[in-house]
Amino acid sequence: MNAPTDPSSAAYSAEPADTLRSALAGLLAGLPPTQAARAVDRLIANYRGTTPTDAPILRDRADVAAYAAYRMPATFEAVASSLDALAAAAPADWTPAGHLDIGGGTGAA
């Protein structure tokens, strides 16, 4: 998810968490809660089971929406907390020279 960076934009949000919530609400719009719940249950069962690696896990819009709604908020908060701790521990003048993406997943981070 790429949030607008122009404060004059109608879609701009100063808080990334608010932007994430809004994007997820739009993704879930029109998806019956029971369908999303069934998709989450199936996804959890697949991850814990023996789904062949060549079998699609996210098969349709309901699967994608359920996965995003189930995983993105927790992932976002975990990464935000980690980065806040890093910022607090790093020297004030430290600037990272690069980064390593070890599984971007939904892009919540």
Side-chain angles (χ1 to χ4, degrees):
M1 169 187 65
N2 292 323
T5 57
D6 177 6
S8 66
S9 165
Y12 176 81
S13 171
E15 295 295 325
D18 292 338
T19 302
L20 175 59
R21 281 191 219 53
S22 176
L24 288 174
L27 182 64
L28 293 169
L31 183 64
T34 54
Q35 185 179 4
R38 281 192 311 269
V40 166
D41 289 343
R42 189 183 63 72
L43 292 169
I44 290 170
N46 280 345
Y47 286 125
R48 293 182 180 162
T50 57
T51 302
T53 57
D54 63 338
I57 302 260
L58 302 177
R59 303 177 307 189
D60 56 26
R61 180 183 178 273
D63 285 355
V64 171
Y67 178 81
Y70 180 70
R71 292 301 315 149
M72 284 184 88
T75 300
F76 176 87
E77 291 301 328
V79 170
S81 177
S82 297
L83 292 175
D84 286 345
L86 174 64
D93 62 346
W94 179 74
T95 302
H99 73 280
L100 174 65
D101 181 342
I102 53 173
T106 62

